[in-house]
Amino acid sequence: MSADAPALATTPGLDAPTWPAEFAERYRAAGYWRGETFGGMLRERAAAHPDRTALIDPAPGRRTWTYRELDERADRLAAGFAARGIAKGDRVVVQLPNTGAFIEVVFALFRIGALPVFALPAHRETEIGYFCSFAEATAYVIPDTHGGFDHRALATKVKAATPSLRHVFVAGDPGEHTALSDVPCDPAGTPDGPEPHELAFLQLSGGTTGVPKLIPRTHDDYLYSVWGSNEICGVDAGTRFLVVLPAAHNFPMSSPGWLGVLYAGGTAVLCPGPDPATAFPLIERERITMTGLVPPLALVWTEAAAETRCDLSSLDVVLVGGAKYSQEAARRLAPALDCRLQQVFGMAEGLVNYTRLDDDPETVVTTQGRPISPDDEIRIVDDAGHEVEEGGFGHLLTRGPYTIRGYWRAPEHNATAFTEDGFYRTGDIVRRTATGHLVVEGRAKDQINRGGEKIAPEEVENIILAHPAVHDVCVVAVPDAYLGERTLAYVILRTGAEPLKSVALKRFVRARGIAAYKVPDLVEFVDAFPQTGIGKVSKKGLRSAAATTEQH
Ligand code: OOB
């Protein structure tokens, strides 16, 4: 262990390793950690410019919130949550689509210091059940229905199975649960909120193991990534940001996202769907200046821009990230949308890299940017952990003022996911250019990146293994022109088992209650898996077989 890295201790109340004191002092002294909280930030903005528009929820019937309204509504909701016994440090699983209710709920929880656990709208019983039980959540917040799915029925099941879960709050028709609209009350006497160094929320990791990990972010560290992103992306009070990707994901939340825009006093517009038919008319109507997209969506928008009759001329900056953006596609975006491109390579665990607005055009299309902070420490190492030579490929390790030092309640996993001196092993293979920009070359972690949506093969394998006809399974990525990667499940059936059709297996996986993006795109039945020298299943062998397999 190096001299500047004292042993990490788990701080009581944080349930995770945190920054050693001298790092925390350094980050404060450098002005990165400003001693703000999310709740306090909104309060200050509401005092400074109460009548500016903070939020627009276009559907249905276009609702707007001024900063004063958002602040007051968050206060009243916070008071109502507190009156129902939700207290500082409690975990609350929030699964809401891109609506004003999502932002109100999250700020209400921030204000009392309860920790939102950010589920995605696509999550189903497997994921939600796990988040609620692992986080020992006291409440779960849902829409009534979304995309044709009734979240109330799912909540009923999860509540019955989770002893800690006392409340289900529903935006819309509550059914047997509590209507979110019945919660707000007079804010007088709401308990004091959190301190800046305390936890603000738990974000989800993309995951490489059977169960997703929870990422503990503090007010201090996350707000640094927010205002740091604002400076790099030119966010100011005139910015009108369209939240296209699920608002609960780290990218549209803070890169620079809706939090960045609220920090700067601009306007966040919540987009109900990512398709050009939904988003383009909103760009025209709301004079959107900035948005963030994953690469497959950026491709669709690039194509659609040529055909559209909508006026997209307000659009100034489009951020693309979450998965590798091909150079060819990156080259076409700015001319097609008549905007500036910024690539972003980030992770919910912390480190975020951006190409800069004044980078030369070739750097913008060929690299994934450089870190937000001068104090983001980057190491690029070989398999043995030694630094590679300048410009060479290697494993990206990072440590810094907004990169976590450990997952929440996961000491065993933390022992391998972090080095002894606190560097996070990102699992990404990168090289660094002479200008300090990173180029993502691949991935060493066992994870599939399906157009920005991360899938842990083991999680899907565990579900498929529950099928009575399945003897063994291995889920791997196959290259895909549109999504970058799709999933392929290689399945060995039990001897004597009835033949199983691929559609039947997919139906089985879906019926177990899992996010639709995790259902294997392709299923192939095989007699055996390739083995490594010591008799383990060779995922590498399967991946290269998959890459050459006829697609079906
Ligand atoms: C973002 O966050 P996560 O936590 O969903 O996923 C992080 C992982 C990275 O470790 C990397 O494997 C991959 O997603 N990734 C990229 C990428 N951006 C993320 N791979 C290649 N090129 C890129 N530009 O995905 C995320 C968080 C904040 C901002 C943007 C993305």
Side-chain angles (χ1 to χ4, degrees), residues 204-206 215 249-251 254-255 320-325 343-349 352 368 424 426 428 440 443 445 447 449 452 454:
L204 307 182
S205 78
I215 297 170
H249 188 273
N250 199 62
F251 177 16
S254 63
S255 297
V320 179
K324 180 79 186 211
Y325 194 29
Q343 291 209 46
V344 46
F345 161 43
M347 52 207 72
E349 285 81 357
V352 182
Q368 280 65 60
Y424 168 55
T426 65
D428 293 311
V440 182
R443 199 175 53 225
K445 56 190 166 189
Q447 185 181 77
N449 191 334
K454 314 301 178 329

PDB file of all heavy atoms in Angstrom, residues 204-206 215 249-251 254-255 320-325 343-349 352 368 424 426 428 440 443 445 447 449 452 454, ligand 1:
ATOM      1  N   LEU A 204     -27.478   2.590  -9.172  1.00  0.00           N
ATOM      2  CA  LEU A 204     -27.253   1.178  -9.498  1.00  0.00           C
ATOM      3  C   LEU A 204     -26.002   1.021 -10.344  1.00  0.00           C
ATOM      4  O   LEU A 204     -25.746   1.828 -11.230  1.00  0.00           O
ATOM      5  CB  LEU A 204     -28.429   0.633 -10.295  1.00  0.00           C
ATOM      6  CG  LEU A 204     -29.798   0.837  -9.678  1.00  0.00           C
ATOM      7  CD1 LEU A 204     -30.860   0.201 -10.556  1.00  0.00           C
ATOM      8  CD2 LEU A 204     -29.850   0.231  -8.279  1.00  0.00           C
ATOM      9  N   SER A 205     -25.290  -0.060 -10.102  1.00  0.00           N
ATOM     10  CA  SER A 205     -24.140  -0.351 -10.968  1.00  0.00           C
ATOM     11  C   SER A 205     -24.638  -1.204 -12.128  1.00  0.00           C
ATOM     12  O   SER A 205     -25.634  -1.923 -12.005  1.00  0.00           O
ATOM     13  CB  SER A 205     -23.073  -1.123 -10.202  1.00  0.00           C
ATOM     14  OG  SER A 205     -23.440  -2.474 -10.102  1.00  0.00           O
ATOM     15  N   GLY A 206     -23.920  -1.111 -13.245  1.00  0.00           N
ATOM     16  CA  GLY A 206     -24.250  -1.951 -14.397  1.00  0.00           C
ATOM     17  C   GLY A 206     -24.163  -3.412 -14.017  1.00  0.00           C
ATOM     18  O   GLY A 206     -24.946  -4.239 -14.478  1.00  0.00           O
ATOM     19  N   ILE A 215     -24.452   1.923  -5.392  1.00  0.00           N
ATOM     20  CA  ILE A 215     -23.351   2.890  -5.417  1.00  0.00           C
ATOM     21  C   ILE A 215     -23.706   4.069  -4.519  1.00  0.00           C
ATOM     22  O   ILE A 215     -24.639   4.810  -4.806  1.00  0.00           O
ATOM     23  CB  ILE A 215     -23.130   3.363  -6.870  1.00  0.00           C
ATOM     24  CG1 ILE A 215     -22.716   2.173  -7.738  1.00  0.00           C
ATOM     25  CG2 ILE A 215     -22.126   4.491  -6.932  1.00  0.00           C
ATOM     26  CD1 ILE A 215     -22.691   2.456  -9.220  1.00  0.00           C
ATOM     27  N   HIS A 249     -31.102   7.458 -14.478  1.00  0.00           N
ATOM     28  CA  HIS A 249     -29.752   7.010 -14.818  1.00  0.00           C
ATOM     29  C   HIS A 249     -28.769   8.168 -14.631  1.00  0.00           C
ATOM     30  O   HIS A 249     -29.097   9.326 -14.825  1.00  0.00           O
ATOM     31  CB  HIS A 249     -29.715   6.485 -16.258  1.00  0.00           C
ATOM     32  CG  HIS A 249     -28.413   5.836 -16.627  1.00  0.00           C
ATOM     33  ND1 HIS A 249     -27.349   6.559 -17.107  1.00  0.00           N
ATOM     34  CD2 HIS A 249     -28.005   4.549 -16.546  1.00  0.00           C
ATOM     35  CE1 HIS A 249     -26.328   5.726 -17.331  1.00  0.00           C
ATOM     36  NE2 HIS A 249     -26.710   4.497 -16.986  1.00  0.00           N
ATOM     37  N   ASN A 250     -27.562   7.769 -14.244  1.00  0.00           N
ATOM     38  CA  ASN A 250     -26.521   8.748 -13.964  1.00  0.00           C
ATOM     39  C   ASN A 250     -26.256   9.732 -15.108  1.00  0.00           C
ATOM     40  O   ASN A 250     -25.991  10.908 -14.859  1.00  0.00           O
ATOM     41  CB  ASN A 250     -25.246   7.944 -13.676  1.00  0.00           C
ATOM     42  CG  ASN A 250     -24.222   8.735 -12.957  1.00  0.00           C
ATOM     43  OD1 ASN A 250     -24.461   9.182 -11.850  1.00  0.00           O
ATOM     44  ND2 ASN A 250     -23.079   8.929 -13.578  1.00  0.00           N
ATOM     45  N   PHE A 251     -26.318   9.271 -16.341  1.00  0.00           N
ATOM     46  CA  PHE A 251     -25.960  10.113 -17.490  1.00  0.00           C
ATOM     47  C   PHE A 251     -26.928  11.302 -17.629  1.00  0.00           C
ATOM     48  O   PHE A 251     -26.498  12.466 -17.548  1.00  0.00           O
ATOM     49  CB  PHE A 251     -25.863   9.206 -18.727  1.00  0.00           C
ATOM     50  CG  PHE A 251     -25.580   9.879 -20.054  1.00  0.00           C
ATOM     51  CD1 PHE A 251     -25.104  11.183 -20.146  1.00  0.00           C
ATOM     52  CD2 PHE A 251     -25.759   9.167 -21.243  1.00  0.00           C
ATOM     53  CE1 PHE A 251     -24.848  11.768 -21.382  1.00  0.00           C
ATOM     54  CE2 PHE A 251     -25.508   9.750 -22.468  1.00  0.00           C
ATOM     55  CZ  PHE A 251     -25.051  11.054 -22.546  1.00  0.00           C
ATOM     56  N   SER A 254     -26.704  13.742 -14.388  1.00  0.00           N
ATOM     57  CA  SER A 254     -25.593  14.608 -13.963  1.00  0.00           C
ATOM     58  C   SER A 254     -24.553  14.873 -15.033  1.00  0.00           C
ATOM     59  O   SER A 254     -23.523  15.465 -14.747  1.00  0.00           O
ATOM     60  CB  SER A 254     -24.914  13.985 -12.750  1.00  0.00           C
ATOM     61  OG  SER A 254     -24.363  12.734 -13.091  1.00  0.00           O
ATOM     62  N   SER A 255     -24.787  14.443 -16.246  1.00  0.00           N
ATOM     63  CA  SER A 255     -23.761  14.666 -17.274  1.00  0.00           C
ATOM     64  C   SER A 255     -24.298  15.478 -18.437  1.00  0.00           C
ATOM     65  O   SER A 255     -24.385  14.964 -19.536  1.00  0.00           O
ATOM     66  CB  SER A 255     -23.226  13.311 -17.765  1.00  0.00           C
ATOM     67  OG  SER A 255     -22.597  12.598 -16.768  1.00  0.00           O
ATOM     68  N   VAL A 320     -23.167  12.346 -26.336  1.00  0.00           N
ATOM     69  CA  VAL A 320     -23.419  10.936 -26.655  1.00  0.00           C
ATOM     70  C   VAL A 320     -22.466  10.092 -25.822  1.00  0.00           C
ATOM     71  O   VAL A 320     -21.255  10.339 -25.798  1.00  0.00           O
ATOM     72  CB  VAL A 320     -23.225  10.640 -28.163  1.00  0.00           C
ATOM     73  CG1 VAL A 320     -23.482   9.161 -28.447  1.00  0.00           C
ATOM     74  CG2 VAL A 320     -24.170  11.501 -29.008  1.00  0.00           C
ATOM     75  N   GLY A 321     -23.015   9.095 -25.141  1.00  0.00           N
ATOM     76  CA  GLY A 321     -22.177   8.222 -24.324  1.00  0.00           C
ATOM     77  C   GLY A 321     -22.957   7.054 -23.764  1.00  0.00           C
ATOM     78  O   GLY A 321     -24.114   6.835 -24.121  1.00  0.00           O
ATOM     79  N   GLY A 322     -22.316   6.317 -22.876  1.00  0.00           N
ATOM     80  CA  GLY A 322     -22.952   5.149 -22.268  1.00  0.00           C
ATOM     81  C   GLY A 322     -22.473   3.855 -22.897  1.00  0.00           C
ATOM     82  O   GLY A 322     -22.519   2.795 -22.294  1.00  0.00           O
ATOM     83  N   ALA A 323     -22.025   3.950 -24.135  1.00  0.00           N
ATOM     84  CA  ALA A 323     -21.471   2.806 -24.862  1.00  0.00           C
ATOM     85  C   ALA A 323     -20.606   3.400 -25.964  1.00  0.00           C
ATOM     86  O   ALA A 323     -20.692   4.594 -26.254  1.00  0.00           O
ATOM     87  CB  ALA A 323     -22.577   1.944 -25.459  1.00  0.00           C
ATOM     88  N   LYS A 324     -19.795   2.561 -26.581  1.00  0.00           N
ATOM     89  CA  LYS A 324     -18.873   3.059 -27.596  1.00  0.00           C
ATOM     90  C   LYS A 324     -19.639   3.620 -28.795  1.00  0.00           C
ATOM     91  O   LYS A 324     -20.537   2.969 -29.328  1.00  0.00           O
ATOM     92  CB  LYS A 324     -17.950   1.918 -28.030  1.00  0.00           C
ATOM     93  CG  LYS A 324     -16.943   2.287 -29.089  1.00  0.00           C
ATOM     94  CD  LYS A 324     -15.752   3.022 -28.510  1.00  0.00           C
ATOM     95  CE  LYS A 324     -14.843   3.497 -29.656  1.00  0.00           C
ATOM     96  NZ  LYS A 324     -13.450   3.548 -29.311  1.00  0.00           N
ATOM     97  N   TYR A 325     -19.277   4.817 -29.182  1.00  0.00           N
ATOM     98  CA  TYR A 325     -19.896   5.501 -30.318  1.00  0.00           C
ATOM     99  C   TYR A 325     -18.912   5.367 -31.472  1.00  0.00           C
ATOM    100  O   TYR A 325     -17.764   5.805 -31.350  1.00  0.00           O
ATOM    101  CB  TYR A 325     -20.092   6.967 -29.938  1.00  0.00           C
ATOM    102  CG  TYR A 325     -21.002   7.784 -30.808  1.00  0.00           C
ATOM    103  CD1 TYR A 325     -22.062   7.211 -31.508  1.00  0.00           C
ATOM    104  CD2 TYR A 325     -20.813   9.160 -30.906  1.00  0.00           C
ATOM    105  CE1 TYR A 325     -22.910   7.993 -32.276  1.00  0.00           C
ATOM    106  CE2 TYR A 325     -21.654   9.952 -31.667  1.00  0.00           C
ATOM    107  CZ  TYR A 325     -22.701   9.356 -32.360  1.00  0.00           C
ATOM    108  OH  TYR A 325     -23.542  10.137 -33.112  1.00  0.00           O
ATOM    109  N   GLN A 343     -18.647  13.808 -26.739  1.00  0.00           N
ATOM    110  CA  GLN A 343     -18.697  12.408 -26.308  1.00  0.00           C
ATOM    111  C   GLN A 343     -18.508  12.377 -24.799  1.00  0.00           C
ATOM    112  O   GLN A 343     -17.751  13.180 -24.237  1.00  0.00           O
ATOM    113  CB  GLN A 343     -17.605  11.585 -26.971  1.00  0.00           C
ATOM    114  CG  GLN A 343     -17.835  11.407 -28.451  1.00  0.00           C
ATOM    115  CD  GLN A 343     -17.239  10.100 -28.978  1.00  0.00           C
ATOM    116  OE1 GLN A 343     -17.403   9.027 -28.388  1.00  0.00           O
ATOM    117  NE2 GLN A 343     -16.558  10.196 -30.105  1.00  0.00           N
ATOM    118  N   VAL A 344     -19.193  11.444 -24.163  1.00  0.00           N
ATOM    119  CA  VAL A 344     -19.050  11.302 -22.715  1.00  0.00           C
ATOM    120  C   VAL A 344     -18.868   9.831 -22.370  1.00  0.00           C
ATOM    121  O   VAL A 344     -19.602   8.974 -22.854  1.00  0.00           O
ATOM    122  CB  VAL A 344     -20.222  11.968 -21.951  1.00  0.00           C
ATOM    123  CG1 VAL A 344     -21.547  11.618 -22.541  1.00  0.00           C
ATOM    124  CG2 VAL A 344     -20.217  11.620 -20.467  1.00  0.00           C
ATOM    125  N   PHE A 345     -17.829   9.585 -21.604  1.00  0.00           N
ATOM    126  CA  PHE A 345     -17.520   8.227 -21.135  1.00  0.00           C
ATOM    127  C   PHE A 345     -17.553   8.317 -19.613  1.00  0.00           C
ATOM    128  O   PHE A 345     -16.659   8.888 -18.992  1.00  0.00           O
ATOM    129  CB  PHE A 345     -16.146   7.822 -21.688  1.00  0.00           C
ATOM    130  CG  PHE A 345     -15.483   6.674 -20.972  1.00  0.00           C
ATOM    131  CD1 PHE A 345     -16.194   5.538 -20.581  1.00  0.00           C
ATOM    132  CD2 PHE A 345     -14.111   6.710 -20.720  1.00  0.00           C
ATOM    133  CE1 PHE A 345     -15.556   4.478 -19.927  1.00  0.00           C
ATOM    134  CE2 PHE A 345     -13.462   5.659 -20.080  1.00  0.00           C
ATOM    135  CZ  PHE A 345     -14.193   4.545 -19.680  1.00  0.00           C
ATOM    136  N   GLY A 346     -18.661   7.809 -19.057  1.00  0.00           N
ATOM    137  CA  GLY A 346     -18.809   7.941 -17.617  1.00  0.00           C
ATOM    138  C   GLY A 346     -19.243   6.636 -16.991  1.00  0.00           C
ATOM    139  O   GLY A 346     -19.451   5.633 -17.683  1.00  0.00           O
ATOM    140  N   MET A 347     -19.371   6.671 -15.683  1.00  0.00           N
ATOM    141  CA  MET A 347     -19.822   5.482 -14.950  1.00  0.00           C
ATOM    142  C   MET A 347     -20.479   5.946 -13.658  1.00  0.00           C
ATOM    143  O   MET A 347     -20.061   6.957 -13.069  1.00  0.00           O
ATOM    144  CB  MET A 347     -18.650   4.552 -14.679  1.00  0.00           C
ATOM    145  CG  MET A 347     -17.462   5.217 -14.032  1.00  0.00           C
ATOM    146  SD  MET A 347     -15.909   4.376 -14.417  1.00  0.00           S
ATOM    147  CE  MET A 347     -15.624   4.798 -16.134  1.00  0.00           C
ATOM    148  N   ALA A 348     -21.500   5.204 -13.245  1.00  0.00           N
ATOM    149  CA  ALA A 348     -22.237   5.607 -12.051  1.00  0.00           C
ATOM    150  C   ALA A 348     -21.336   5.590 -10.812  1.00  0.00           C
ATOM    151  O   ALA A 348     -21.621   6.266  -9.825  1.00  0.00           O
ATOM    152  CB  ALA A 348     -23.440   4.691 -11.850  1.00  0.00           C
ATOM    153  N   GLU A 349     -20.241   4.842 -10.870  1.00  0.00           N
ATOM    154  CA  GLU A 349     -19.299   4.795  -9.737  1.00  0.00           C
ATOM    155  C   GLU A 349     -18.530   6.094  -9.588  1.00  0.00           C
ATOM    156  O   GLU A 349     -17.911   6.329  -8.552  1.00  0.00           O
ATOM    157  CB  GLU A 349     -18.298   3.647  -9.936  1.00  0.00           C
ATOM    158  CG  GLU A 349     -18.846   2.246  -9.688  1.00  0.00           C
ATOM    159  CD  GLU A 349     -19.634   1.687 -10.867  1.00  0.00           C
ATOM    160  OE1 GLU A 349     -19.809   2.412 -11.873  1.00  0.00           O
ATOM    161  OE2 GLU A 349     -20.078   0.528 -10.797  1.00  0.00           O
ATOM    162  N   VAL A 352     -16.123  10.673 -14.877  1.00  0.00           N
ATOM    163  CA  VAL A 352     -16.788  11.053 -16.120  1.00  0.00           C
ATOM    164  C   VAL A 352     -15.794  11.830 -16.990  1.00  0.00           C
ATOM    165  O   VAL A 352     -15.116  12.739 -16.514  1.00  0.00           O
ATOM    166  CB  VAL A 352     -18.050  11.917 -15.870  1.00  0.00           C
ATOM    167  CG1 VAL A 352     -18.745  12.249 -17.199  1.00  0.00           C
ATOM    168  CG2 VAL A 352     -19.041  11.197 -14.948  1.00  0.00           C
ATOM    169  N   GLN A 368     -13.085   9.465 -26.382  1.00  0.00           N
ATOM    170  CA  GLN A 368     -14.227   9.523 -25.456  1.00  0.00           C
ATOM    171  C   GLN A 368     -13.993  10.570 -24.360  1.00  0.00           C
ATOM    172  O   GLN A 368     -14.628  10.544 -23.315  1.00  0.00           O
ATOM    173  CB  GLN A 368     -14.493   8.135 -24.857  1.00  0.00           C
ATOM    174  CG  GLN A 368     -15.276   7.209 -25.798  1.00  0.00           C
ATOM    175  CD  GLN A 368     -14.518   6.866 -27.054  1.00  0.00           C
ATOM    176  OE1 GLN A 368     -13.433   6.293 -26.985  1.00  0.00           O
ATOM    177  NE2 GLN A 368     -15.054   7.203 -28.208  1.00  0.00           N
ATOM    178  N   TYR A 424     -10.632   2.487  -8.214  1.00  0.00           N
ATOM    179  CA  TYR A 424     -11.731   1.658  -8.719  1.00  0.00           C
ATOM    180  C   TYR A 424     -11.278   0.979 -10.014  1.00  0.00           C
ATOM    181  O   TYR A 424     -10.762   1.629 -10.920  1.00  0.00           O
ATOM    182  CB  TYR A 424     -12.960   2.548  -8.973  1.00  0.00           C
ATOM    183  CG  TYR A 424     -14.060   1.873  -9.754  1.00  0.00           C
ATOM    184  CD1 TYR A 424     -14.605   0.658  -9.330  1.00  0.00           C
ATOM    185  CD2 TYR A 424     -14.554   2.438 -10.932  1.00  0.00           C
ATOM    186  CE1 TYR A 424     -15.606   0.030 -10.057  1.00  0.00           C
ATOM    187  CE2 TYR A 424     -15.561   1.820 -11.661  1.00  0.00           C
ATOM    188  CZ  TYR A 424     -16.077   0.608 -11.224  1.00  0.00           C
ATOM    189  OH  TYR A 424     -17.058  -0.014 -11.950  1.00  0.00           O
ATOM    190  N   THR A 426     -12.317  -0.156 -13.227  1.00  0.00           N
ATOM    191  CA  THR A 426     -13.509   0.113 -14.035  1.00  0.00           C
ATOM    192  C   THR A 426     -13.920  -1.076 -14.893  1.00  0.00           C
ATOM    193  O   THR A 426     -15.063  -1.151 -15.328  1.00  0.00           O
ATOM    194  CB  THR A 426     -13.263   1.297 -14.996  1.00  0.00           C
ATOM    195  OG1 THR A 426     -12.255   0.919 -15.938  1.00  0.00           O
ATOM    196  CG2 THR A 426     -12.825   2.542 -14.242  1.00  0.00           C
ATOM    197  N   ASP A 428     -12.855  -1.400 -17.822  1.00  0.00           N
ATOM    198  CA  ASP A 428     -12.749  -0.921 -19.202  1.00  0.00           C
ATOM    199  C   ASP A 428     -11.291  -0.966 -19.663  1.00  0.00           C
ATOM    200  O   ASP A 428     -10.375  -0.725 -18.876  1.00  0.00           O
ATOM    201  CB  ASP A 428     -13.270   0.519 -19.307  1.00  0.00           C
ATOM    202  CG  ASP A 428     -14.766   0.580 -19.046  1.00  0.00           C
ATOM    203  OD1 ASP A 428     -15.494  -0.218 -19.651  1.00  0.00           O
ATOM    204  OD2 ASP A 428     -15.202   1.403 -18.207  1.00  0.00           O
ATOM    205  N   VAL A 440     -11.832   4.374 -25.513  1.00  0.00           N
ATOM    206  CA  VAL A 440     -12.280   3.091 -24.967  1.00  0.00           C
ATOM    207  C   VAL A 440     -12.094   2.037 -26.053  1.00  0.00           C
ATOM    208  O   VAL A 440     -12.657   2.150 -27.146  1.00  0.00           O
ATOM    209  CB  VAL A 440     -13.760   3.145 -24.532  1.00  0.00           C
ATOM    210  CG1 VAL A 440     -14.181   1.817 -23.913  1.00  0.00           C
ATOM    211  CG2 VAL A 440     -13.991   4.285 -23.542  1.00  0.00           C
ATOM    212  N   ARG A 443     -13.457  -4.058 -23.146  1.00  0.00           N
ATOM    213  CA  ARG A 443     -13.917  -4.270 -21.783  1.00  0.00           C
ATOM    214  C   ARG A 443     -13.344  -5.580 -21.289  1.00  0.00           C
ATOM    215  O   ARG A 443     -13.307  -6.555 -22.031  1.00  0.00           O
ATOM    216  CB  ARG A 443     -15.440  -4.372 -21.885  1.00  0.00           C
ATOM    217  CG  ARG A 443     -16.207  -4.166 -20.648  1.00  0.00           C
ATOM    218  CD  ARG A 443     -17.679  -4.183 -20.970  1.00  0.00           C
ATOM    219  NE  ARG A 443     -18.041  -5.374 -21.706  1.00  0.00           N
ATOM    220  CZ  ARG A 443     -18.826  -5.385 -22.771  1.00  0.00           C
ATOM    221  NH1 ARG A 443     -19.341  -4.266 -23.218  1.00  0.00           N
ATOM    222  NH2 ARG A 443     -19.095  -6.504 -23.386  1.00  0.00           N
ATOM    223  N   LYS A 445     -14.394  -6.632 -18.132  1.00  0.00           N
ATOM    224  CA  LYS A 445     -15.392  -7.132 -17.176  1.00  0.00           C
ATOM    225  C   LYS A 445     -16.428  -7.992 -17.891  1.00  0.00           C
ATOM    226  O   LYS A 445     -16.684  -7.807 -19.087  1.00  0.00           O
ATOM    227  CB  LYS A 445     -16.067  -5.972 -16.448  1.00  0.00           C
ATOM    228  CG  LYS A 445     -16.708  -4.939 -17.345  1.00  0.00           C
ATOM    229  CD  LYS A 445     -17.132  -3.705 -16.532  1.00  0.00           C
ATOM    230  CE  LYS A 445     -17.463  -2.534 -17.442  1.00  0.00           C
ATOM    231  NZ  LYS A 445     -17.678  -1.280 -16.762  1.00  0.00           N
ATOM    232  N   GLN A 447     -19.546  -8.184 -18.665  1.00  0.00           N
ATOM    233  CA  GLN A 447     -20.747  -7.361 -18.737  1.00  0.00           C
ATOM    234  C   GLN A 447     -21.089  -7.184 -20.206  1.00  0.00           C
ATOM    235  O   GLN A 447     -20.201  -7.172 -21.043  1.00  0.00           O
ATOM    236  CB  GLN A 447     -20.460  -5.993 -18.101  1.00  0.00           C
ATOM    237  CG  GLN A 447     -21.658  -5.069 -18.003  1.00  0.00           C
ATOM    238  CD  GLN A 447     -21.267  -3.727 -17.386  1.00  0.00           C
ATOM    239  OE1 GLN A 447     -20.678  -2.873 -18.028  1.00  0.00           O
ATOM    240  NE2 GLN A 447     -21.594  -3.552 -16.120  1.00  0.00           N
ATOM    241  N   ASN A 449     -22.923  -4.643 -22.924  1.00  0.00           N
ATOM    242  CA  ASN A 449     -23.385  -3.266 -23.059  1.00  0.00           C
ATOM    243  C   ASN A 449     -24.302  -3.210 -24.276  1.00  0.00           C
ATOM    244  O   ASN A 449     -23.854  -3.113 -25.411  1.00  0.00           O
ATOM    245  CB  ASN A 449     -22.187  -2.328 -23.219  1.00  0.00           C
ATOM    246  CG  ASN A 449     -22.585  -0.864 -23.088  1.00  0.00           C
ATOM    247  OD1 ASN A 449     -23.733  -0.502 -23.357  1.00  0.00           O
ATOM    248  ND2 ASN A 449     -21.649  -0.033 -22.683  1.00  0.00           N
ATOM    249  N   GLY A 452     -25.890   0.797 -24.347  1.00  0.00           N
ATOM    250  CA  GLY A 452     -25.850   1.643 -23.149  1.00  0.00           C
ATOM    251  C   GLY A 452     -26.508   0.971 -21.956  1.00  0.00           C
ATOM    252  O   GLY A 452     -26.268   1.342 -20.818  1.00  0.00           O
ATOM    253  N   LYS A 454     -26.728  -1.918 -19.427  1.00  0.00           N
ATOM    254  CA  LYS A 454     -25.725  -2.869 -18.990  1.00  0.00           C
ATOM    255  C   LYS A 454     -26.398  -4.148 -18.485  1.00  0.00           C
ATOM    256  O   LYS A 454     -27.384  -4.087 -17.755  1.00  0.00           O
ATOM    257  CB  LYS A 454     -24.858  -2.272 -17.873  1.00  0.00           C
ATOM    258  CG  LYS A 454     -24.369  -0.838 -18.147  1.00  0.00           C
ATOM    259  CD  LYS A 454     -23.562  -0.729 -19.402  1.00  0.00           C
ATOM    260  CE  LYS A 454     -23.069   0.641 -19.814  1.00  0.00           C
ATOM    261  NZ  LYS A 454     -23.780   1.851 -19.529  1.00  0.00           N
TER     262      LYS A 454
HETATM  263  C1  OOB B   1     -22.770   5.256 -17.933  1.00  0.00           C
HETATM  264  O1  OOB B   1     -22.755   4.708 -16.678  1.00  0.00           O
HETATM  265  P1  OOB B   1     -22.996   3.163 -16.326  1.00  0.00           P
HETATM  266  O2  OOB B   1     -22.684   3.039 -14.886  1.00  0.00           O
HETATM  267  O3  OOB B   1     -24.332   2.729 -16.824  1.00  0.00           O
HETATM  268  O4  OOB B   1     -21.956   2.334 -17.185  1.00  0.00           O
HETATM  269  C2  OOB B   1     -20.565   2.555 -17.112  1.00  0.00           C
HETATM  270  C3  OOB B   1     -19.859   1.756 -18.171  1.00  0.00           C
HETATM  271  C4  OOB B   1     -18.396   2.114 -18.327  1.00  0.00           C
HETATM  272  O5  OOB B   1     -17.587   1.462 -17.369  1.00  0.00           O
HETATM  273  C5  OOB B   1     -18.150   1.622 -19.741  1.00  0.00           C
HETATM  274  O6  OOB B   1     -17.996   0.228 -19.757  1.00  0.00           O
HETATM  275  C6  OOB B   1     -19.419   1.969 -20.464  1.00  0.00           C
HETATM  276  O7  OOB B   1     -20.426   2.029 -19.467  1.00  0.00           O
HETATM  277  N1  OOB B   1     -19.369   3.276 -21.141  1.00  0.00           N
HETATM  278  C7  OOB B   1     -18.777   3.492 -22.334  1.00  0.00           C
HETATM  279  C8  OOB B   1     -18.992   4.870 -22.622  1.00  0.00           C
HETATM  280  N2  OOB B   1     -19.687   5.422 -21.607  1.00  0.00           N
HETATM  281  C9  OOB B   1     -19.909   4.430 -20.707  1.00  0.00           C
HETATM  282  N3  OOB B   1     -18.097   2.686 -23.151  1.00  0.00           N
HETATM  283  C10 OOB B   1     -17.607   3.227 -24.299  1.00  0.00           C
HETATM  284  N4  OOB B   1     -17.767   4.524 -24.647  1.00  0.00           N
HETATM  285  C11 OOB B   1     -18.438   5.379 -23.851  1.00  0.00           C
HETATM  286  N5  OOB B   1     -18.608   6.660 -24.207  1.00  0.00           N
HETATM  287  O8  OOB B   1     -22.891   4.590 -18.943  1.00  0.00           O
HETATM  288  C12 OOB B   1     -22.588   6.735 -17.995  1.00  0.00           C
HETATM  289  C13 OOB B   1     -22.547   7.483 -16.829  1.00  0.00           C
HETATM  290  C14 OOB B   1     -22.386   8.861 -16.893  1.00  0.00           C
HETATM  291  C15 OOB B   1     -22.260   9.477 -18.130  1.00  0.00           C
HETATM  292  C16 OOB B   1     -22.313   8.730 -19.282  1.00  0.00           C
HETATM  293  C17 OOB B   1     -22.473   7.357 -19.219  1.00  0.00           C
END
